[in-house]
């Protein structure tokens, strides 16, 4: 990537020098960038008519100079990033071009306006479409590119404050339906088979390997990334890392990034289950971060609850609704994926959430939610492709989502269930210990497998490393396990290196916002469709859940979930408040009074009320046992669809449809 400045010094907009046109005679300057830019048409109406932006690629930039007398001068030049100075002067007439003559004509009778056809039962909108200026009509190719991704950039976007509507007696409009998740391609697909064979035959890469900064599955140009910011410090002071690993930030060359993005799009379209694994980096621009970086200051922003999603959140949210992103394991607590429209039922907020009163942020001394850990392990064991964004992979338990998916890319495809064949997984017990292994070869009387110790306690992290090949007699007792072998591996995209980069199928260096802007068109989507969701404006709705918040079977009588101001609510069973160990909440579910900062609070079961609906933070503000909590508005949308299996709260005395 390189930055380009459009203005008197670089774009050819006329300079005020003797014998040339004065800048003050210009009315405006219109610049058309590549359509992948946020709002590719930019207009400057004040001297010095300067414009700056950052983006990928080499392309022609069109500039329209509009003079105050109405005349237009059109020019263009090729933006280049491989030259010391990509600017050039622009020769213009020494006087402003004469305004186009408009011949006088007698007034003509107004042409009849044909009636618009409107679907039966609807009302035609009363919005008047403003007339198109003649000069905009003449340069339609420029102005029709307007507004590609307005309102979804982390630097510009703000959440819209909506007025609360009164609850109605009806269930409200049905939420937008989600697409079924993509089934991907089968093992006999030639392209998939070729990629999997390459991954199986390419071992993990050491740091010194020439392919290390590109990925085991990458087949494009090997031009080294450029250094954006150099550091001799580790990425984080609270995580250990190899000596070679620093916080230095890199960016792929444009031709390398283009090749990597094409290969990533191909992987996503083939994947049978794609899981995102994300950390603080994708929210750093609006929330803050703890890791050392050249892009953002270490620390936290003000008013984090009102933070808007970044483009990365919006893009991944859109891919989730389209069924191309099957799951998301989220280290952050900020709710930004859901604010961007990612379905609540497909995101595992492994370390807790600001917007789920049943799963508050978990302290380092706490334990994960009883549903979060098995869900994370399932994704780690079954993902076909993992996308890693914004995390240093510094050794957290949840990093296994990335590392196990990478491990499977070294293994053969799984055989049919119950068949002892290469790629099958078996459980063998010897000496009171359990060993889980992957079968590599099957003979008439025995088979060979590579084993790793299986933890006895499911809360402990397994050792993912497979040992040497061991020969096992078929007469020995063993269990065949459900198997998911082979796979497309793990792809990581961020600015800094990680200790796990050598395992990656693809390794992309760059900002995730910019990488995803390139990825969406490769997947066949325009950037204009990435936009914030519209949440239900009602706060009361019929939902297919019982009085304990459990999802009901089809055709059962639905429950009213009323989150209007003042309504009494209670937390449902199975919450993780005691496990999270947040001091201000520890009296909820406690057996005896709890003293926090000199204040003693009586134990409570989790009763409270709705204080209000806050559209600025996309949440319902709650008062639960005397302390404030929040519930994301998206929980109501998901409940209306019957998306999540269990609701975090219900009304204290819920009513049901007749």
């Amino acid at each position: 990537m390189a930055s380009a400045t459009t203005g008197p010094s670089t774009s050819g907009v006329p300079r005020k020098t003797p014998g040339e046109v004065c800048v003050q005679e210009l009315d405006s300057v219109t610049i058309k960038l590549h359509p992948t830019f946020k709002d590719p048409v930019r207009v400057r109406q004040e001297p010095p008519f300067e414009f700056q932006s950052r983006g990928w690629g080499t392309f022609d930039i069109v500039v329209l100079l509009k003079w105050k007398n109405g005349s237009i001068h059109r020019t263009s030049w090729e933006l280049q990033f491989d030259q010391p100075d990509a600017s050039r002067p622009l020769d213009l007439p020494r006087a402003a071009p004469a305004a186009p003559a408009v011949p006088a004509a007698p007034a003509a009778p107004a042409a009849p306006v044909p009636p618009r056809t409107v679907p039966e039962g609807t009302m035609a909108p009363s919005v008047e479409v403003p007339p198109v200026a003649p000069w905009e009509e003449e340069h339609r190719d420029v102005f029709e590119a307007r507004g590609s991704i307005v309102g979804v950039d982390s630097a510009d976007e703000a959440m819209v404050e909506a007025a609360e509507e009164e609850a109605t007696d009806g269930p409200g409009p049905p939420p937008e339906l989600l697409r079924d998740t993509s089934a991907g391609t089968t093992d006999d697909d030639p392209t998939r088979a070729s990629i999997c064979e390459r991954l199986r035959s390419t071992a993990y890469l050491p740091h010194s390997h020439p392919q290390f900064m590109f990925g085991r599955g990458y087949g494009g140009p090997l031009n080294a990334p450029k250094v954006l910011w150099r550091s001799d410090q580790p990425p984080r002071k609270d995580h250990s890392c190899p000596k070679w690993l620093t916080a230095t930030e890199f960016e792929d060359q444009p031709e390398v990034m283009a090749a990597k993005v094409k290969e990533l799009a191909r992987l996503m379209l083939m994947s049978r289950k794609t899981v995102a694994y994300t950390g603080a980096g994708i929210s750093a621009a609006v929330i803050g971060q703890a890791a050392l970086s050249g892009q953002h200051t270490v620390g936290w922003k003000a008013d984090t609850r009102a933070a808007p999603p970044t483009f990365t959140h919006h893009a991944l949210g859109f891919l989730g609704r389209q069924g191309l992103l099957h799951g998301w394991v989220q280290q952050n607590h900020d709710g930004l994926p859901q604010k961007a429209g990612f379905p609540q039922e497909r995101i595992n907020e492994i370390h807790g959430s600001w917007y789920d009163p049943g799963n508050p942020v978990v302290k380092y001394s706490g334990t994960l939610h009883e549903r979060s850990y098995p869900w994370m392990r399932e994704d780690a064991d079954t993902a076909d492709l993992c996308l890693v964004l914004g995390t240093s992979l510094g050794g957290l338990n949840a990093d296994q989502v990335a590392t196990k998916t990478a491990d499977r890319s070294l293994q053969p495809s799984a055989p049919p269930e119950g068949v002892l064949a290469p790629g099958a997984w078996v459980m063998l017990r010897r000496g009171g210990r359990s060993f889980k292994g992957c079968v590599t070869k099957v003979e008439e009387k025995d088979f060979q497998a590579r084993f790793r110790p299986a933890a006895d306690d499911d809360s402990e992290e397994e050792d993912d490393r497979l040992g040497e090949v061991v020969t096992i007699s078929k007469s020995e007792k063993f269990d065949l396990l459900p198997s998911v072998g082979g796979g497309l591996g793990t792809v990581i995209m961020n600015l800094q290196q990680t200790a796990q980069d050598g395992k990656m199928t693809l390794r992309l260096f760059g900002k995730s916002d910019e990488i995803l802007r390139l990825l969406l068109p490769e997947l066949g989507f325009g950037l204009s469709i990435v936009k914030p969701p519209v949440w239900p404006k009602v706060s009361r709705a019929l939902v297919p859940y019982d009085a304990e918040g459990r999802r009901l079977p089809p055709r059962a009588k639905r429950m009213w979930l009323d989150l209007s101001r003042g309504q009494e609510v209670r937390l449902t069973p199975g919450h993780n408040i005691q496990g999270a160990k947040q001091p201000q909440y520890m009296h909820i579910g406690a057996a005896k009074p709890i003293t926090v900062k000199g204040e003693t609070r009586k134990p409570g079961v989790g009763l409270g009320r709705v204080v209000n609906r806050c559209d600025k933070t996309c949440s319902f503000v709650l008062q639960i046992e005397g302390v404030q909590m929040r519930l994301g508005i998206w929980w109501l949308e998901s409940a209306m669809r019957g998306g999540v299996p269990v609701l975090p709260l219900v009304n204290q005395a819920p009513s049901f449809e007749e």
Side-chain angles (χ1 to χ4, degrees):
M1 183 201 297
S3 62
T5 303
T6 303
S9 60
T10 57
S11 72
V13 175
R15 302 183 178 111
K16 187 177 180 181
T17 57
E20 293 187 337
V21 179
C22 178
V23 170
Q24 276 66 30
E25 294 185 40
L26 280 172
D27 177 70
S28 65
V29 175
T30 301
I31 305 107
K32 179 189 176 185
L33 306 172
H34 193 272
T36 56
F37 278 69
K38 175 183 180 293
D39 195 358
V41 179
R42 313 294 176 91
V43 180
R44 294 294 179 265
Q45 296 179 315
E46 298 289 341
F49 304 103
E50 186 173 83
F51 163 71
Q52 295 184 355
S53 187
R54 291 167 62 86
W56 289 103
T58 298
F59 53 89
D60 288 334
I61 293 182
V62 178
V63 175
L64 299 179
L65 305 176
K66 183 181 179 184
W67 307 94
K68 291 182 177 178
N69 65 6
S71 61
I72 304 295
H73 185 91
R74 177 170 177 150
T75 187
S76 66
W77 85 98
E78 184 181 12
L79 180 65
Q80 303 176 53
F81 295 151
D82 57 354
Q83 303 295 328
D85 185 359
S87 64
R88 66 173 174 82
L90 171 65
D91 294 327
L92 293 172
R94 296 181 180 275
V102 181
V113 179
R116 272 188 291 176
T117 302
V118 180
E120 186 177 355
T122 62
M123 296 181 62
S126 60
V127 179
E128 295 185 1
V129 179
V132 178
W135 75 292
E136 292 195 15
E137 181 67 30
E138 182 181 353
H139 301 281
R140 181 180 291 274
D141 63 313
V142 171
F143 289 94
E144 281 191 343
R146 213 174 236 164
S148 64
I149 48 176
V150 174
V152 297
D153 224 32
S154 60
D156 314 298
E157 187 183 2
M159 301 302 294
V160 178
E161 185 77 32
E164 182 178 355
E165 292 192 355
E166 294 295 327
T168 65
D169 291 334
E176 177 185 356
L177 296 178
L178 306 177
R179 293 201 178 188
D180 291 336
T181 51
S182 169
T185 58
T186 59
D187 291 331
D188 56 5
D189 176 77
T191 303
R192 180 187 175 93
S194 175
I195 291 174
C196 289
E197 176 58 33
R198 174 170 183 164
L199 292 173
R200 280 195 296 270
S201 61
T202 306
Y204 289 161
L205 306 175
H207 176 242
S208 57
H209 197 284
Q211 195 92 3
F212 184 80
M213 301 186 83
F214 301 90
R216 297 162 46 235
Y218 175 69
L222 297 178
N223 301 330
K226 59 184 177 182
V227 175
L228 294 181
W229 179 71
R230 192 177 299 277
S231 172
D232 59 0
Q233 300 296 313
R236 295 186 62 140
K237 296 181 179 179
D238 55 350
H239 289 117
S240 61
C241 66
K243 291 183 178 180
W244 59 263
L245 183 60
T246 69
T248 299
E249 295 177 345
F250 300 88
E251 187 174 67
D252 281 322
Q253 301 290 347
E255 66 279 6
V256 174
M257 178 59 71
K260 289 180 177 179
V261 167
K262 284 182 180 295
E263 294 191 15
L264 174 56
R266 183 172 59 173
L267 292 174
M268 291 192 68
L269 293 173
M270 287 189 295
S271 174
R272 299 192 282 254
K273 180 178 180 179
T274 300
V275 176
Y277 179 55
T278 63
I282 65 170
S283 302
V286 293
I287 297 291
Q289 66 180 44
L292 185 62
S293 168
Q295 306 297 315
H296 306 287
T297 303
V298 174
W300 309 105
K301 309 283 186 180
D303 198 11
T304 53
R305 303 309 187 267
T310 65
F311 183 83
T312 293
H313 294 106
H314 282 289
L316 296 180
F318 171 77
L319 293 176
R321 296 193 301 276
Q322 292 296 309
L324 286 172
L325 188 58
H326 303 67
W328 189 334
V329 179
Q330 152 92 322
Q331 294 180 27
N332 300 340
H333 326 299
D334 49 38
L336 295 182
Q338 297 97 311
K339 286 184 182 181
F342 192 84
Q344 175 63 47
E345 62 268 27
R346 295 181 187 167
I347 189 164
N348 183 354
E349 294 170 292
I350 189 70
H351 297 147
S353 171
W354 293 338
Y355 298 98
D356 180 355
N359 186 26
V361 177
V362 180
K363 291 178 68 68
Y364 276 111
S365 59
T367 56
L368 302 182
H369 195 289
E370 63 179 13
R371 290 191 293 271
S372 295
Y373 188 78
W375 186 5
M376 180 269 290
R377 286 286 296 274
E378 179 186 0
D379 282 341
D381 289 337
T382 59
D384 191 24
L385 176 68
C386 177
L387 306 182
V388 178
L389 304 91
T391 176
S392 58
L393 295 179
L396 293 175
N397 194 318
D399 288 354
Q400 63 182 280
V401 176
T403 57
K404 285 187 176 181
T405 306
D407 287 344
R408 283 193 297 280
S409 69
L410 293 170
Q411 301 164 8
S413 300
E417 187 174 354
V419 176
L420 182 64
W425 283 84
V426 296
M427 181 70 77
L428 184 68
R429 293 175 176 83
R430 286 183 176 178
R433 297 187 64 192
S434 297
F435 299 89
K436 183 178 178 181
C438 181
V439 177
T440 59
K441 186 177 181 180
V442 178
E443 301 287 358
E444 182 179 354
K445 295 184 178 181
D446 52 37
F447 64 92
Q448 294 180 344
R450 300 176 64 203
F451 286 88
R452 67 182 182 213
D456 295 328
D457 183 353
D458 198 46
S459 67
E460 296 295 330
E461 184 175 11
E462 286 186 354
D463 185 348
D464 291 334
R465 295 170 297 179
L466 293 174
E468 298 297 324
V469 172
V470 177
T471 300
I472 307 296
S473 172
K474 288 184 178 180
S475 62
E476 187 169 352
K477 187 175 180 179
F478 60 88
D479 296 324
L480 271 171
L481 303 176
S483 301
V484 179
L488 302 175
T490 301
V491 173
I492 187 169
M493 53 189 95
N494 56 21
L495 293 167
Q496 296 177 344
Q497 293 180 300
T498 79
Q500 306 295 337
D501 282 3
K503 299 180 179 181
M504 300 298 134
T505 298
L506 289 175
R507 207 294 169 222
L508 293 83
F509 287 104
K511 293 182 179 179
S512 58
D513 282 8
E514 293 158 2
I515 295 172
L516 291 171
R517 282 197 177 96
L518 297 175
L519 175 64
L520 288 177
E522 291 292 338
L523 291 171
F525 302 114
L527 299 181
S528 61
I529 57 182
V530 181
K531 52 190 176 184
V534 178
W535 303 115
K537 292 185 178 180
V538 295
S539 298
R540 177 176 181 262
L542 280 170
V543 299
Y545 293 84
D546 66 15
E548 298 300 319
R550 296 170 299 208
R551 186 167 51 201
L552 293 168
R555 294 181 294 278
K557 288 187 176 182
R558 294 173 295 174
M559 176 184 68
W560 282 103
L561 180 60
D562 193 346
L563 300 175
S564 305
R565 180 181 293 129
Q567 289 298 309
E568 294 183 335
V569 294
R570 64 178 174 86
L571 300 182
T572 55
H575 61 71
N576 193 46
I577 290 178
Q578 288 296 307
K581 294 192 182 301
Q582 290 291 345
Q584 68 272 30
Y585 303 144
M586 287 301 290
H587 61 295
I588 303 175
K592 57 183 180 180
I594 300 293
T595 300
V596 178
K597 296 182 178 179
E599 179 184 352
T600 300
R601 294 173 177 166
K602 295 181 179 179
V605 296
L607 303 181
R609 62 183 178 86
V610 180
V611 176
N612 60 30
R613 171 174 171 152
C614 177
D615 288 278
K616 182 179 180 182
T617 59
C618 280
S619 66
F620 295 99
V621 181
L622 313 171
Q623 194 81 4
I624 304 293
E625 301 292 358
V627 293
Q628 180 176 291
M629 306 181 92
R630 292 181 184 269
L631 179 75
I633 289 176
W634 52 85
W635 279 98
L636 179 61
E637 183 270 343
S638 183
M640 293 167 71
R641 288 188 287 102
V644 292
V646 180
L647 299 177
L649 57 75
V650 294
N651 292 107
Q652 291 187 29
S655 59
F656 290 79
E657 65 182 338
E658 298 298 329

